[in-house]
Coordinates of all heavy atoms in Angstrom, one line a residue:
M1 N 127.3 111.7 96.1 CA 128.0 110.9 97.0 C 127.3 110.7 98.3 O 126.9 111.8 98.8 CB 129.5 111.2 97.1 CG 130.2 110.5 98.4 SD 131.8 111.1 98.6 CE 132.7 110.0 97.7
T2 N 127.1 109.6 98.9 CA 126.4 109.4 100.2 C 127.4 109.0 101.3 O 128.3 108.2 100.9 CB 125.2 108.5 100.1 OG1 125.7 107.3 99.7 CG2 124.1 109.2 99.2
P3 N 127.3 109.3 102.6 CA 128.3 108.8 103.6 C 128.1 107.2 103.5 O 127.0 106.7 103.5 CB 127.7 109.4 104.8 CG 126.8 110.6 104.3 CD 126.4 110.2 103.1
K4 N 129.1 106.6 103.9 CA 129.2 105.1 103.9 C 128.5 104.6 105.2 O 128.2 103.6 105.4 CB 130.6 104.6 103.9 CG 131.2 104.9 102.5 CD 132.7 104.3 102.4 CE 133.2 104.8 101.2 NZ 134.7 105.1 101.2
N5 N 128.7 105.5 106.3 CA 128.2 105.2 107.7 C 126.8 105.8 107.9 O 126.4 106.7 107.2 CB 129.3 105.6 108.8 CG 130.6 105.3 108.4 OD1 130.8 104.1 108.1 ND2 131.7 106.1 108.5
S6 N 126.1 105.3 108.9 CA 124.9 105.8 109.3 C 125.1 107.3 109.8 O 126.1 107.6 110.4 CB 124.2 104.9 110.3 OG 125.0 105.0 111.5
V7 N 124.0 108.0 109.7 CA 123.9 109.4 110.0 C 122.8 109.7 110.9 O 121.7 109.1 110.5 CB 123.9 110.4 108.7 CG1 123.8 111.9 109.2 CG2 125.2 110.1 107.9
S8 N 122.9 110.5 111.9 CA 121.9 110.9 112.7 C 122.0 112.4 113.1 O 123.0 112.9 112.9 CB 121.9 110.0 114.1 OG 122.9 110.2 114.8
F9 N 120.9 112.9 113.6 CA 120.8 114.3 113.8 C 120.5 114.4 115.3 O 119.5 113.8 115.7 CB 119.9 115.0 112.9 CG 120.1 114.8 111.5 CD1 119.2 114.2 110.7 CD2 121.3 115.3 110.9 CE1 119.5 113.9 109.4 CE2 121.4 115.1 109.6 CZ 120.6 114.3 108.7
V10 N 121.3 115.2 116.0 CA 121.1 115.5 117.4 C 120.9 116.8 117.9 O 121.9 117.6 117.3 CB 122.3 114.8 118.2 CG1 122.2 115.1 119.7 CG2 122.6 113.3 117.9
S11 N 119.9 117.2 118.5 CA 119.7 118.6 118.7 C 120.8 119.2 119.6 O 121.4 118.5 120.6 CB 118.3 118.7 119.7 OG 117.3 118.3 119.0
A12 N 121.2 120.4 119.3 CA 122.3 121.0 120.0 C 121.8 121.4 121.4 O 120.6 121.7 121.5 CB 122.8 122.2 119.2
Q13 N 122.7 121.8 122.3 CA 122.4 122.3 123.6 C 123.1 123.6 123.8 O 124.0 124.0 123.1 CB 122.9 121.4 124.7 CG 122.5 119.9 124.6 CD 121.0 119.8 124.8 OE1 120.3 120.5 125.7 NE2 120.2 119.0 123.9
R14 N 122.5 124.4 124.6 CA 123.3 125.8 124.9 C 124.7 125.6 125.1 O 125.5 126.5 124.6 CB 122.5 126.4 126.1 CG 123.1 127.7 126.4 CD 122.6 129.0 126.0 NE 121.3 129.2 125.5 CZ 120.9 129.8 124.3 NH1 121.9 130.4 123.6 NH2 119.7 130.0 123.8
T15 N 125.1 124.6 125.8 CA 126.6 124.4 126.1 C 127.4 124.0 124.9 O 128.7 123.9 125.0 CB 126.7 123.3 127.2 OG1 126.0 122.1 126.8 CG2 126.0 123.7 128.5
D16 N 126.8 123.8 123.8 CA 127.6 123.4 122.5 C 128.0 124.7 121.8 O 128.6 124.5 120.8 CB 126.6 122.5 121.6 CG 126.3 121.2 122.2 OD1 127.1 120.6 123.0 OD2 125.3 120.7 121.9
A17 N 127.6 125.7 122.2 CA 127.9 127.1 121.4 C 129.3 127.1 121.0 O 129.6 127.4 119.8 CB 127.4 128.3 122.2
D18 N 130.3 127.0 121.9 CA 131.7 127.1 121.6 C 132.1 126.1 120.6 O 133.0 126.3 119.6 CB 132.5 127.0 122.9 CG 134.0 127.5 122.6 OD1 134.2 128.5 122.0 OD2 134.8 126.7 122.9
A19 N 131.7 124.9 120.8 CA 132.2 123.8 119.9 C 131.5 124.0 118.5 O 132.2 123.7 117.5 CB 131.6 122.4 120.5
L20 N 130.3 124.5 118.4 CA 129.8 124.8 117.1 C 130.5 125.9 116.4 O 130.8 125.9 115.2 CB 128.2 125.3 117.3 CG 127.3 124.0 117.7 CD1 126.1 124.7 118.3 CD2 127.0 123.2 116.6
A21 N 130.9 126.8 117.2 CA 131.6 128.1 116.6 C 133.0 127.6 116.1 O 133.5 128.0 115.0 CB 131.7 129.3 117.5
S22 N 133.6 126.7 116.9 CA 134.9 126.2 116.4 C 134.9 125.4 115.3 O 135.7 125.5 114.3 CB 135.6 125.4 117.5 OG 135.8 126.2 118.6
L23 N 133.8 124.6 115.1 CA 133.5 123.8 113.9 C 133.4 124.8 112.7 O 133.9 124.5 111.6 CB 132.4 122.8 114.0 CG 132.3 121.8 112.9 CD1 131.8 120.5 113.5 CD2 131.5 122.2 111.8
R24 N 132.5 125.8 112.9 CA 132.2 126.7 111.7 C 133.6 127.3 111.3 O 133.8 127.4 110.1 CB 131.2 127.8 112.2 CG 131.0 128.8 111.1 CD 129.9 129.8 111.7 NE 129.4 130.6 110.5 CZ 129.8 131.8 110.2 NH1 130.8 132.4 110.9 NH2 129.2 132.5 109.1
V25 N 134.4 127.7 112.3 CA 135.8 128.4 111.9 C 136.5 127.4 111.0 O 137.1 127.7 110.1 CB 136.4 128.9 113.1 CG1 137.8 129.2 112.8 CG2 135.6 130.1 113.6
A26 N 136.7 126.1 111.6 CA 137.5 125.1 110.9 C 137.0 124.8 109.5 O 137.7 124.8 108.5 CB 137.5 123.9 111.8
A27 N 135.7 124.7 109.4 CA 135.0 124.5 108.0 C 135.2 125.6 107.0 O 135.4 125.3 105.9 CB 133.6 124.2 108.2
M28 N 135.2 126.8 107.5 CA 135.4 128.0 106.6 C 136.8 128.5 106.2 O 137.1 129.2 105.4 CB 134.5 129.1 107.2 CG 133.0 128.8 107.3 SD 132.2 130.2 108.0 CE 132.7 131.6 107.0
R29 N 137.8 128.1 107.2 CA 139.0 128.6 107.2 C 139.8 128.6 105.9 O 140.1 129.7 105.3 CB 139.9 128.0 108.2 CG 141.3 128.6 108.3 CD 142.3 127.9 109.2 NE 141.7 128.0 110.7 CZ 142.2 129.0 111.4 NH1 143.0 129.9 111.0 NH2 141.7 129.2 112.6
E30 N 139.8 127.4 105.3 CA 140.6 127.3 104.0 C 140.0 128.2 102.9 O 140.8 128.8 102.2 CB 140.6 125.9 103.5 CG 141.5 125.7 102.3 CD 141.6 124.2 102.0 OE1 141.2 123.3 102.8 OE2 142.1 123.9 100.9
S31 N 138.7 128.2 102.7 CA 138.2 128.9 101.6 C 138.2 130.4 101.8 O 138.5 131.2 100.9 CB 136.8 128.5 101.3 OG 135.9 128.7 102.4
L32 N 138.1 130.8 103.0 CA 138.1 132.3 103.3 C 139.6 132.8 103.2 O 139.9 133.9 102.9 CB 137.4 132.6 104.6 CG 136.0 132.5 104.6 CD1 135.4 132.7 106.0 CD2 135.3 133.4 103.6
E33 N 140.5 131.9 103.7 CA 141.9 132.4 103.7 C 142.3 132.5 102.2 O 143.0 133.4 101.8 CB 142.8 131.4 104.4 CG 142.9 131.4 105.9 CD 143.7 130.4 106.5 OE1 144.0 129.3 105.9 OE2 144.0 130.6 107.7
H34 N 141.8 131.7 101.4 CA 142.1 131.6 99.9 C 141.6 133.1 99.2 O 142.3 133.5 98.4 CB 141.5 130.5 99.3 CG 141.7 130.4 97.8 ND1 142.9 130.1 97.2 CD2 140.9 130.7 96.6 CE1 142.8 130.2 95.9 NE2 141.6 130.6 95.6
L35 N 140.5 133.5 99.8 CA 140.0 134.8 99.3 C 140.5 136.0 100.2 O 140.2 137.1 99.7 CB 138.5 134.8 99.6 CG 137.7 133.7 98.7 CD1 136.2 133.8 99.2 CD2 137.8 134.0 97.2
G36 N 141.4 135.7 101.2 CA 141.9 136.7 101.8 C 140.9 137.5 102.8 O 141.2 138.6 103.2
R37 N 139.8 136.8 103.2 CA 138.9 137.2 104.0 C 138.6 136.6 105.3 O 137.6 136.8 106.0 CB 137.5 137.3 103.2 CG 137.6 138.1 101.9 CD 136.3 138.4 101.3 NE 135.5 139.1 102.3 CZ 134.2 139.2 102.3 NH1 133.5 138.5 101.4 NH2 133.5 139.8 103.1
F38 N 139.5 135.8 105.8 CA 139.4 135.0 107.0 C 139.5 135.9 108.3 O 140.6 136.6 108.4 CB 140.3 133.7 107.1 CG 140.1 133.1 108.4 CD1 139.0 132.3 108.5 CD2 141.1 133.0 109.4 CE1 138.8 131.6 109.7 CE2 140.9 132.3 110.5 CZ 139.7 131.5 110.6
D39 N 138.4 135.9 109.0 CA 138.5 136.7 110.4 C 137.8 135.7 111.3 O 136.6 135.6 111.4 CB 137.8 137.9 110.2 CG 137.8 138.8 111.5 OD1 138.0 138.2 112.6 OD2 137.5 140.0 111.3
E40 N 138.7 135.1 112.1 CA 138.2 134.1 113.1 C 137.2 134.7 114.1 O 136.2 134.1 114.3 CB 139.4 133.4 113.9 CG 138.8 132.3 114.7 CD 140.0 131.5 115.4 OE1 141.1 131.6 115.0 OE2 139.5 130.7 116.4
K41 N 137.5 135.8 114.7 CA 136.6 136.4 115.6 C 135.2 136.7 115.0 O 134.1 136.4 115.5 CB 137.1 137.6 116.1 CG 136.2 138.3 117.2 CD 137.0 139.5 117.8 CE 136.1 140.3 118.8 NZ 134.7 139.9 119.1
R42 N 135.2 137.3 113.7 CA 134.0 137.6 113.0 C 133.2 136.3 112.7 O 131.9 136.3 112.9 CB 134.2 138.3 111.8 CG 133.1 138.7 111.0 CD 133.4 139.6 109.8 NE 132.1 140.1 109.1 CZ 131.6 139.5 108.2 NH1 132.2 138.4 107.7 NH2 130.5 139.9 107.5
A43 N 133.8 135.3 112.3 CA 133.2 134.0 112.1 C 132.5 133.5 113.4 O 131.4 132.9 113.1 CB 134.2 133.0 111.4
R44 N 133.2 133.4 114.4 CA 132.7 132.9 115.6 C 131.5 133.8 116.2 O 130.5 133.4 116.4 CB 133.7 132.9 116.8 CG 134.8 131.9 116.4 CD 135.8 131.9 117.7 NE 135.3 131.4 118.9 CZ 135.1 130.1 119.2 NH1 135.5 129.2 118.3 NH2 134.6 129.7 120.3
D45 N 131.8 135.1 116.1 CA 130.8 136.1 116.7 C 129.4 136.0 115.8 O 128.4 136.1 116.3 CB 131.2 137.5 116.7 CG 132.3 137.7 117.7 OD1 132.5 136.8 118.7 OD2 133.0 138.7 117.7
R46 N 129.6 135.9 114.5 CA 128.4 135.8 113.7 C 127.5 134.6 114.1 O 126.2 134.8 114.1 CB 128.7 135.7 112.2 CG 127.5 135.8 111.3 CD 127.8 136.0 109.8 NE 126.7 136.0 109.0 CZ 126.3 134.8 108.3 NH1 127.1 133.7 108.4 NH2 125.2 134.8 107.7
L47 N 128.0 133.4 114.2 CA 127.3 132.3 114.7 C 126.8 132.5 116.1 O 125.6 132.4 116.3 CB 128.1 131.1 114.6 CG 127.3 129.7 115.0 CD1 126.5 129.3 113.8 CD2 128.3 128.8 115.4
L48 N 127.6 133.0 116.9 CA 127.2 133.0 118.3 C 126.1 134.0 118.7 O 125.3 133.8 119.5 CB 128.4 133.2 119.3 CG 129.4 132.0 119.3 CD1 130.6 132.5 120.2 CD2 128.7 130.7 119.8
S49 N 126.0 135.0 117.8 CA 125.2 136.2 118.0 C 123.8 135.7 117.7 O 122.8 136.3 118.3 CB 125.5 137.4 117.2 OG 125.4 137.1 115.9
A50 N 123.6 134.8 116.9 CA 122.2 134.3 116.5 C 122.0 132.8 116.9 O 121.0 132.3 116.6 CB 122.1 134.4 115.0
F51 N 122.8 132.3 117.7 CA 122.7 130.9 118.1 C 121.4 130.6 118.9 O 121.2 131.3 119.9 CB 123.9 130.5 119.0 CG 123.9 129.1 119.5 CD1 123.7 128.0 118.7 CD2 123.9 128.8 121.0 CE1 123.6 126.6 119.3 CE2 123.9 127.6 121.5 CZ 123.8 126.4 120.5
D52 N 120.7 129.6 118.4 CA 119.5 129.1 119.0 C 119.6 127.6 119.0 O 119.5 127.0 118.0 CB 118.1 129.6 118.2 CG 116.9 129.1 118.9 OD1 117.0 128.2 119.7 OD2 116.0 129.7 118.5
P53 N 119.9 127.1 120.2 CA 119.9 125.5 120.2 C 118.7 124.7 119.8 O 118.8 123.7 119.3 CB 120.3 125.3 121.7 CG 119.8 126.4 122.4 CD 119.9 127.6 121.5
H54 N 117.5 125.3 119.8 CA 116.3 124.8 119.3 C 116.3 124.6 117.8 O 115.5 123.8 117.4 CB 115.1 125.5 119.8 CG 115.1 125.5 121.4 ND1 115.4 126.7 122.0 CD2 114.7 124.6 122.3 CE1 115.3 126.5 123.3 NE2 114.8 125.2 123.4
L55 N 117.0 125.3 117.2 CA 117.1 125.3 115.7 C 118.3 124.5 115.1 O 118.5 124.4 113.8 CB 117.1 126.7 115.1 CG 115.8 127.5 115.5 CD1 116.0 128.9 114.9 CD2 114.6 126.8 115.1
T56 N 119.3 124.3 115.9 CA 120.7 123.7 115.7 C 120.7 122.3 116.0 O 120.3 121.8 116.9 CB 121.6 124.5 116.3 OG1 121.3 125.9 116.2 CG2 123.2 124.2 115.9
H57 N 121.2 121.5 115.0 CA 121.4 120.0 115.1 C 122.8 119.6 114.6 O 123.4 120.1 113.5 CB 120.4 119.4 114.1 CG 118.9 119.9 114.4 ND1 118.1 119.3 115.4 CD2 118.2 120.9 113.9 CE1 116.9 119.9 115.5 NE2 117.1 120.9 114.5
W58 N 123.3 118.8 115.4 CA 124.7 118.2 115.0 C 124.4 117.0 114.0 O 123.3 116.4 114.0 CB 125.2 117.5 116.3 CG 125.7 118.3 117.3 CD1 125.3 118.7 118.6 CD2 127.0 119.1 117.1 NE1 126.1 119.6 119.2 CE2 127.2 119.7 118.4 CE3 128.0 119.1 116.3 CZ2 128.3 120.6 118.6 CZ3 129.2 119.9 116.5 CH2 129.2 120.6 117.6
V59 N 125.3 116.8 113.1 CA 125.3 115.7 112.3 C 126.3 114.6 112.8 O 127.4 115.0 113.1 CB 125.8 116.1 110.8 CG1 125.7 114.9 109.8 CG2 124.8 117.1 110.2
V60 N 125.8 113.5 113.1 CA 126.6 112.5 113.9 C 126.7 111.3 113.1 O 125.7 110.8 112.5 CB 125.9 112.2 115.1 CG1 126.7 111.1 116.0 CG2 125.8 113.4 116.1
S61 N 127.9 110.7 113.0 CA 128.3 109.5 112.3 C 129.1 108.7 113.1 O 130.2 109.2 113.6 CB 129.0 109.8 111.0 OG 129.2 108.6 110.3
E62 N 128.6 107.5 113.4 CA 129.4 106.6 114.2 C 130.0 107.3 115.6 O 131.1 107.4 116.0 CB 130.7 106.1 113.6 CG 130.3 105.3 112.3 CD 131.2 104.2 111.9 OE1 132.3 104.0 112.5 OE2 130.9 103.5 110.9
E63 N 128.9 108.1 116.2 CA 129.1 108.6 117.4 C 129.9 109.9 117.4 O 130.4 110.5 118.5 CB 129.7 107.7 118.5 CG 128.7 106.6 118.8 CD 129.1 105.6 119.9 OE1 129.7 106.0 120.9 OE2 128.7 104.5 119.8
A64 N 130.5 110.4 116.2 CA 131.2 111.4 116.1 C 130.5 112.7 115.5 O 129.8 112.4 114.6 CB 132.5 111.1 115.2
R65 N 130.7 113.8 116.0 CA 130.1 115.0 115.4 C 130.8 115.4 114.2 O 131.9 115.9 114.3 CB 130.1 116.0 116.4 CG 129.2 115.8 117.6 CD 129.3 116.8 118.8 NE 128.2 116.7 119.8 CZ 128.2 117.4 120.9 NH1 129.1 118.4 121.0 NH2 127.4 117.1 121.8
V66 N 130.3 115.2 113.0 CA 131.0 115.5 111.8 C 130.5 116.8 111.2 O 131.1 117.3 110.2 CB 130.7 114.4 110.7 CG1 131.4 113.1 111.3 CG2 129.4 114.2 110.3
G67 N 129.4 117.6 111.7 CA 129.1 118.8 111.2 C 127.8 119.2 112.0 O 127.3 118.6 113.0
F68 N 127.1 120.4 111.5 CA 125.9 120.7 112.2 C 125.2 121.6 111.1 O 125.7 122.0 110.1 CB 126.2 121.6 113.3 CG 126.6 122.9 113.2 CD1 125.8 124.0 113.1 CD2 128.0 123.3 113.2 CE1 126.3 125.3 113.0 CE2 128.5 124.5 113.2 CZ 127.7 125.6 113.0
F69 N 123.8 121.8 111.4 CA 123.1 122.7 110.6 C 122.0 123.4 111.5 O 121.8 122.9 112.5 CB 122.4 121.9 109.4 CG 121.4 120.9 109.9 CD1 120.0 121.2 110.1 CD2 121.8 119.6 110.2 CE1 119.1 120.1 110.4 CE2 120.9 118.6 110.5 CZ 119.5 118.8 110.7
V70 N 121.5 124.5 110.9 CA 120.6 125.3 111.5 C 119.4 125.4 110.5 O 119.5 125.7 109.3 CB 121.0 126.8 111.9 CG1 119.9 127.6 112.5 CG2 122.3 126.7 112.8
L71 N 118.3 124.9 111.0 CA 117.1 124.8 110.1 C 116.0 125.8 110.7 O 115.4 125.4 111.8 CB 116.6 123.4 110.0 CG 115.5 123.1 109.0 CD1 116.0 123.5 107.6 CD2 115.0 121.7 109.1
K72 N 115.5 126.6 110.0 CA 114.4 127.7 110.4 C 113.2 127.4 109.7 O 113.2 127.1 108.5 CB 115.0 129.1 110.3 CG 116.1 129.4 111.1 CD 116.5 130.9 111.0 CE 117.7 131.2 111.9 NZ 118.1 132.7 111.6
T73 N 112.1 127.5 110.5 CA 110.8 127.4 109.8 C 110.4 128.8 109.3 O 110.6 129.8 110.0 CB 109.7 126.9 110.7 OG1 110.1 125.7 111.3 CG2 108.3 126.9 110.2
I74 N 110.0 129.0 108.0 CA 109.7 130.2 107.4 C 108.2 130.0 106.8 O 107.9 128.8 106.7 CB 110.6 130.7 106.4 CG1 110.8 129.7 105.2 CG2 111.8 131.1 107.0 CD1 111.6 130.3 104.1
E75 N 107.6 131.0 106.4 CA 106.2 130.8 105.8 C 106.3 130.0 104.5 O 107.2 130.3 103.7 CB 105.7 132.2 105.4 CG 104.3 132.2 105.0 CD 103.6 133.5 104.8 OE1 104.1 134.5 105.5 OE2 102.8 133.6 103.9
G76 N 105.6 128.9 104.6 CA 105.6 128.0 103.4 C 106.7 127.0 103.4 O 106.9 126.3 102.4
G77 N 107.6 126.9 104.3 CA 108.6 125.9 104.4 C 109.7 126.1 105.2 O 109.4 126.5 106.5
Y78 N 110.9 125.8 105.0 CA 112.2 125.9 105.8 C 113.2 126.7 105.1 O 113.3 126.7 103.9 CB 112.6 124.4 106.0 CG 111.5 123.5 106.7 CD1 110.7 122.7 106.1 CD2 111.4 123.5 108.1 CE1 109.7 122.1 106.8 CE2 110.4 122.9 108.8 CZ 109.6 122.0 108.1 OH 108.7 121.3 108.7
L79 N 114.1 127.1 106.0 CA 115.3 127.7 105.6 C 116.5 127.0 106.1 O 116.6 127.1 107.4 CB 115.2 129.3 105.9 CG 116.6 130.0 105.9 CD1 116.9 130.3 104.3 CD2 116.5 131.5 106.5
L80 N 117.4 126.6 105.4 CA 118.6 125.9 105.8 C 119.5 127.2 106.0 O 120.2 127.7 105.1 CB 119.2 125.0 104.9 CG 120.5 124.4 105.3 CD1 120.4 123.7 106.6 CD2 121.0 123.4 104.2
D81 N 119.7 127.7 107.3 CA 120.5 128.9 107.5 C 122.0 128.6 107.6 O 122.8 129.5 107.2 CB 119.9 129.5 108.8 CG 120.3 130.9 109.0 OD1 120.5 131.6 107.9 OD2 120.6 131.3 110.1
H82 N 122.4 127.5 108.2 CA 123.8 127.1 108.2 C 123.9 125.6 107.9 O 123.1 124.8 108.4 CB 124.4 127.4 109.6 CG 124.5 128.8 110.0 ND1 125.4 129.6 109.6 CD2 123.7 129.5 110.7 CE1 125.3 130.9 110.1 NE2 124.2 130.9 110.9
L83 N 125.0 125.2 107.2 CA 125.5 123.9 107.1 C 126.9 123.8 107.1 O 127.5 124.5 106.1 CB 124.8 123.1 105.9 CG 125.3 121.8 105.5 CD1 124.9 120.8 106.6 CD2 124.8 121.4 104.2
Y84 N 127.5 123.2 108.0 CA 129.0 123.1 108.1 C 129.4 121.6 108.3 O 128.8 121.0 109.1 CB 129.6 124.0 109.1 CG 129.3 125.4 109.0 CD1 128.3 126.0 109.8 CD2 129.9 126.1 108.0 CE1 127.9 127.4 109.3 CE2 129.6 127.5 107.6 CZ 128.6 128.1 108.4 OH 128.3 129.4 108.2
V85 N 130.4 121.3 107.6 CA 131.0 120.0 107.7 C 132.4 120.0 108.2 O 133.2 120.8 107.6 CB 130.8 119.1 106.5 CG1 131.5 117.6 106.7 CG2 129.4 118.9 106.1
A86 N 132.8 119.3 109.2 CA 134.2 119.3 109.8 C 135.1 119.1 108.6 O 134.9 118.1 107.8 CB 134.4 118.5 110.9
P87 N 136.3 119.7 108.6 CA 137.3 119.4 107.4 C 137.6 117.9 107.1 O 137.6 117.4 106.0 CB 138.4 120.2 107.7 CG 138.0 121.4 108.6 CD 136.8 120.8 109.3
P88 N 137.8 117.1 108.2 CA 138.2 115.7 107.9 C 136.9 114.9 107.3 O 137.2 113.9 106.8 CB 138.5 115.1 109.3 CG 138.7 116.3 110.2 CD 138.0 117.4 109.7
S89 N 135.8 115.4 107.5 CA 134.6 114.8 106.9 C 134.1 115.3 105.6 O 133.1 114.7 105.1 CB 133.4 114.7 108.0 OG 133.8 114.0 109.1
Q90 N 134.7 116.4 105.2 CA 134.3 117.1 103.9 C 134.6 116.1 102.8 O 135.4 115.4 102.8 CB 134.9 118.5 103.7 CG 134.6 119.5 104.6 CD 135.2 120.8 104.5 OE1 136.1 121.0 103.8 NE2 134.9 121.6 105.4
K91 N 133.8 116.2 101.8 CA 133.8 115.4 100.5 C 133.6 113.9 100.8 O 134.0 112.9 100.2 CB 135.2 115.6 99.9 CG 135.4 117.0 99.4 CD 136.8 117.1 98.7 CE 137.0 118.7 98.3 NZ 138.3 118.9 97.9
S92 N 132.8 113.6 102.0 CA 132.4 112.3 102.2 C 130.9 112.1 102.0 O 130.4 111.2 102.6 CB 132.8 112.0 103.7 OG 134.0 112.2 103.9
G93 N 130.2 113.2 101.5 CA 128.8 113.0 101.3 C 127.9 113.6 102.3 O 126.7 113.4 102.3
F94 N 128.4 114.0 103.4 CA 127.6 114.5 104.5 C 126.8 115.8 104.2 O 125.7 116.0 104.6 CB 128.3 114.8 105.8 CG 128.9 113.5 106.4 CD1 130.3 113.2 106.4 CD2 128.0 112.7 107.1 CE1 130.8 112.0 107.0 CE2 128.6 111.5 107.7 CZ 129.9 111.2 107.4
G95 N 127.3 116.7 103.3 CA 126.6 117.8 102.9 C 125.4 117.5 101.9 O 124.7 118.4 101.7
A96 N 125.4 116.3 101.3 CA 124.4 115.9 100.3 C 123.1 115.7 101.1 O 122.1 115.8 100.6 CB 125.0 114.7 99.5

């Protein structure tokens, strides 16, 4: 499935850290609660402790931030370190 709307990627800024952490928590909450492993502070701290705005990009559709990803360069290629889609946009093809 692919998104119906256009998608663009926008570099994150240092000031986006809290919004990124909040999106991560929202994206993970349901599945981690189902497993009995949801810990909001841990989820936020894990992202914020390694946050690098130069590697982080918002996924934007129709001027709305629908998710983000962290892409690192490694020897011989790339590492997709994080990919989160906001709950209202999940199952819309943005993760594809």
Side-chain angles (χ1 to χ4, degrees):
M1 172 182 260
T2 58
K4 296 175 188 154
N5 305 319
S6 65
V7 176
S8 61
F9 307 115
V10 177
S11 296
Q13 304 297 313
R14 175 100 14 227
T15 56
D16 292 331
D18 190 54
L20 291 160
S22 293
L23 191 150
R24 180 178 195 263
V25 166
M28 295 176 58
R29 179 182 296 271
E30 184 178 346
S31 60
L32 289 178
E33 282 179 342
H34 179 73
L35 296 171
R37 299 195 60 203
F38 180 71
D39 180 339
E40 183 171 349
K41 181 175 179 355
R42 183 173 183 266
R44 293 179 67 81
D45 289 350
R46 182 168 177 262
L47 179 79
L48 294 173
S49 69
F51 175 56
D52 183 342
H54 298 102
L55 304 175
T56 307
H57 305 276
W58 288 105
V59 178
V60 178
S61 178
E62 300 208 358
E63 299 182 31
R65 294 173 172 177
V66 297
F68 75 92
F69 63 94
V70 176
L71 189 64
K72 296 180 177 181
T73 304
I74 60 171
E75 187 175 326
Y78 298 95
L79 170 67
L80 180 60
D81 198 32
H82 294 280
L83 172 62
Y84 298 102
V85 177
S89 298
Q90 291 177 0
K91 299 181 183 171
S92 297
F94 291 107

